[in-house]
Amino acid sequence: MKQDATSPLAGEPGVDRRARILDAAERCFVRSGFHRTTMQDVAAEAGMSPGNLYRYFPSKDAIVEGLAERDRCEMAADFAAIAHADDFMTTFRALGRKHFQDEPRGKAILCLEIWAEATRNATMGEITRTFEREVMGRLAALIEEAQGRGEIPCQVDAHGIAVIICTLGDGLFVRRAILPDFDAEEEVGRVLHLIGALLKGEASLGEANLQHERCDAEASS
Amino acid sequence: MKQDATSPLAGEPGVDRRARILDAAERCFVRSGFHRTTMQDVAAEAGMSPGNLYRYFPSKDAIVEGLAERDRCEMAADFAAIAHADDFMTTFRALGRKHFQDEPRGKAILCLEIWAEATRNATMGEITRTFEREVMGRLAALIEEAQGRGEIPCQVDAHGIAVIICTLGDGLFVRRAILPDFDAEEEVGRVLHLIGALLKGEASLGEANLQHERCDAEASS
DNA sequence: ATAGGGAGAATGAACGTTCATTCTCGCCTG
DNA sequence: CAGGCGAGAATGAACGTTCATTCTCCCTAT
């Protein structure tokens, strides 16, 4: 399918047909949703014929799933990049700002679409759940690392905070997609501040799971 | 089928045709989503013919919108009910548990569906935004009342916390819909605990909007 | 020439909506 | 009290459209 490695050349041409199609589909889906988007729409947006789409994807569903998977990977990559940050809160803050402010609002809309679909389509459900699990795991791991380094007090409940962070993140996505006058600067700032406070141990998350581990720092895995 | 007007009785008979249709539609939408649900599906679920649906709703979209509106009203009613609670946190906790634990998971799924639709359909967007605004306003008002009563320290940022609560709530809805093994008991508990801590002033939400109002308690409106 | 990437018309199923027809019942008349 | 009339409720087949998918043919590069 992809040709000579010599030329990933002008415009955005040869890169990969599939990528072009996914880009087009993403724009369509954000504009009209999965179900109101027709293959003709995607074809037009991608600057090719409807029939030709089927050379690269076996079905419309495959495009939807391909898109969900691609997004998941992009995000996972971002997370991986800060895997071993030196200062947790700083890199985390950057990550938050990137995903909730710098990325276009369309990403949030697409996200809603994917979630809605995930409640019915087994494949998309799996993709979504895997993603959630991965983010969660990485978050908890990062926090525990930071605790090992003494950056974060060790009586805070790493897992609990990771869940809260995910919940807040999902909530931000929803609000950003739904409210046209969503003030990203302010809302993201507030959420980040709150997370910062939690990580400093300024408020506990419940008596239940206080901490099972010892605190005498032995950190790096 | 139904008899003498004397008895709005057994089963769920004469109440209102429209309600019966909305109930049926809700079940279908949760199962298959707005777009994969056909009018024939709704008709079958409602135990009537497709053509008859059009006696009560002018179009499929009207059913969708009717459903969104009905849900919004139900929730608003719940909020109104605790409008002047004596102990904020107690009644709030009950409200949270009701909506995130007792209500069936389908409500959360429907919510995702509505949100996704709200990003495109003007009518649904308006319904959703009105709802958000109302919940927000009421929350902030309740918190300020409680501050007036001295129940909550007045240096906490009522508006800021209201936004955080909404964000957490939206996030919980998403997680509940998406994760089949969502542990409502635990997650809702944790979120409620966090909100409780925030309301006790255990963590601030940023330096920006510390407080504009004086604190010398003058409360009841 | 030829292969294969691509275009775009064709296909057929599915769906929202309509409408002619049937059913149900309360009410009026004798 | 019987009989039948009429209005509103309900039915379900049919229509016209939309859309995913397929098919056929063309164009270009070798």
Side-chain angles (χ1 to χ4, degrees):
Chain A
M1 252 100 243
K2 90 280 300 279
Q3 42 281 65
D4 41 326
T6 66
S7 54
L9 63 152
E12 52 171 66
V15 218
D16 193 12
R17 242 77 182 114
R18 285 176 58 97
R20 167 128 76 114
I21 293 172
L22 290 180
D23 289 340
E26 177 163 339
R27 264 169 276 139
C28 291
F29 290 158
V30 168
R31 197 188 310 128
S32 322
F34 291 155
H35 297 284
R36 275 205 258 276
T37 296
T38 73
M39 289 301 260
Q40 328 268 339
D41 292 339
V42 176
E45 184 82 31
M48 63 179 69
S49 64
N52 200 32
L53 295 177
Y54 288 86
R55 185 174 293 281
Y56 301 98
F57 291 92
S59 71
K60 188 186 179 184
D61 276 354
I63 295 183
V64 171
E65 288 160 12
L67 198 53
E69 180 117 36
R70 190 177 71 163
D71 263 34
R72 182 184 95 72
C73 287
E74 280 176 14
M75 210 153 187
D78 273 342
F79 246 90
I82 65 154
H84 298 292
D86 283 334
D87 175 14
F88 177 76
M89 204 50 206
T90 302
T91 45
F92 180 73
R93 208 185 310 271
L95 193 67
R97 293 230 126 91
K98 161 163 185 194
H99 280 284
F100 295 105
Q101 279 181 241
D102 306 345
E103 290 280 332
R105 184 168 88 109
K107 285 283 182 199
I109 293 177
L110 192 67
C111 212
L112 280 194
E113 204 74 25
I114 290 175
W115 283 334
E117 202 61 17
T119 63
R120 289 178 262 285
N121 176 318
T123 306
M124 307 228 6
E126 205 37 65
I127 292 177
T128 307
R129 257 167 274 129
T130 303
F131 176 69
E132 189 80 17
R133 232 177 286 132
E134 188 170 323
V135 167
M136 194 73 174
R138 278 189 200 273
L139 263 182
L142 282 174
I143 294 175
E144 277 163 9
E145 268 179 51
Q147 285 179 317
R149 266 183 267 122
E151 226 177 80
I152 291 174
C154 50
Q155 75 272 20
V156 316
D157 171 9
H159 170 76
I161 291 195
V163 174
I164 289 289
I165 291 176
C166 287
T167 307
L168 284 166
D170 290 349
L172 282 181
F173 265 126
V174 171
R175 293 177 61 79
R176 186 158 189 231
I178 276 179
L179 305 171
D181 57 347
F182 177 78
D183 184 339
E185 176 77 24
E186 180 184 325
E187 297 222 5
V188 175
R190 180 160 35 222
V191 164
L192 284 173
H193 189 95
L194 169 58
I195 293 173
L198 288 179
L199 289 177
K200 276 187 264 180
E202 287 182 20
S204 94
L205 256 36
E207 332 68 44
N209 23 13
L210 265 180
Q211 209 64 6
H212 313 289
E213 309 127 40
R214 263 93 32 58
C215 201
D216 17 332
E218 6 94 32
S220 54
S221 66
Chain B
M1 256 92 239
K2 99 281 306 266
Q3 39 284 69
D4 40 326
T6 65
S7 50
L9 65 152
E12 53 173 61
V15 218
D16 192 14
R17 246 59 189 140
R18 286 177 57 98
R20 166 129 75 114
I21 293 174
L22 289 181
D23 289 341
E26 177 162 341
R27 264 170 275 136
C28 289
F29 290 158
V30 168
R31 195 188 313 126
S32 321
F34 291 155
H35 297 286
R36 276 205 257 277
T37 296
T38 73
M39 289 300 260
Q40 323 272 339
D41 292 340
V42 177
E45 184 81 32
M48 63 180 68
S49 64
N52 201 33
L53 296 178
Y54 288 86
R55 179 174 296 282
Y56 303 98
F57 292 92
S59 70
K60 188 185 178 185
D61 276 354
I63 296 184
V64 171
E65 289 159 14
L67 198 54
E69 181 117 34
R70 189 177 71 165
D71 264 33
R72 181 181 96 73
C73 288
E74 280 176 13
M75 211 155 183
D78 273 342
F79 246 90
I82 65 154
H84 299 290
D86 284 333
D87 174 15
F88 177 76
M89 204 49 207
T90 301
T91 45
F92 181 74
R93 208 185 308 272
L95 193 68
R97 291 232 126 91
K98 163 165 183 196
H99 280 284
F100 295 105
Q101 278 180 243
D102 306 344
E103 290 280 332
R105 185 170 89 108
K107 285 281 181 201
I109 292 177
L110 192 66
C111 212
L112 279 195
E113 204 74 25
I114 290 174
W115 284 334
E117 203 62 15
T119 64
R120 292 178 257 287
N121 176 320
T123 307
M124 308 232 356
E126 205 38 64
I127 292 176
T128 308
R129 256 167 275 128
T130 302
F131 175 69
E132 188 80 18
R133 231 177 287 133
E134 186 167 326
V135 168
M136 195 72 175
R138 279 191 200 273
L139 263 182
L142 283 174
I143 294 175
E144 277 162 9
E145 269 179 51
Q147 285 178 319
R149 265 182 267 123
E151 223 177 81
I152 291 174
C154 49
Q155 76 272 19
V156 317
D157 171 11
H159 169 76
I161 290 194
V163 174
I164 288 290
I165 291 175
C166 286
T167 308
L168 283 166
D170 290 349
L172 281 180
F173 265 127
V174 171
R175 292 177 61 81
R176 184 156 190 232
I178 276 180
L179 305 171
D181 57 345
F182 177 79
D183 184 339
E185 176 79 21
E186 180 185 325
E187 297 221 5
V188 175
R190 180 158 40 219
V191 164
L192 284 172
H193 189 94
L194 169 58
I195 294 173
L198 288 179
L199 289 177
K200 275 187 262 177
E202 286 183 21
S204 95
L205 254 35
E207 332 68 43
N209 24 14
L210 266 179
Q211 207 66 6
H212 314 287
E213 309 129 38
R214 260 93 32 59
C215 200
D216 14 333
E218 6 93 34
S220 54
S221 64

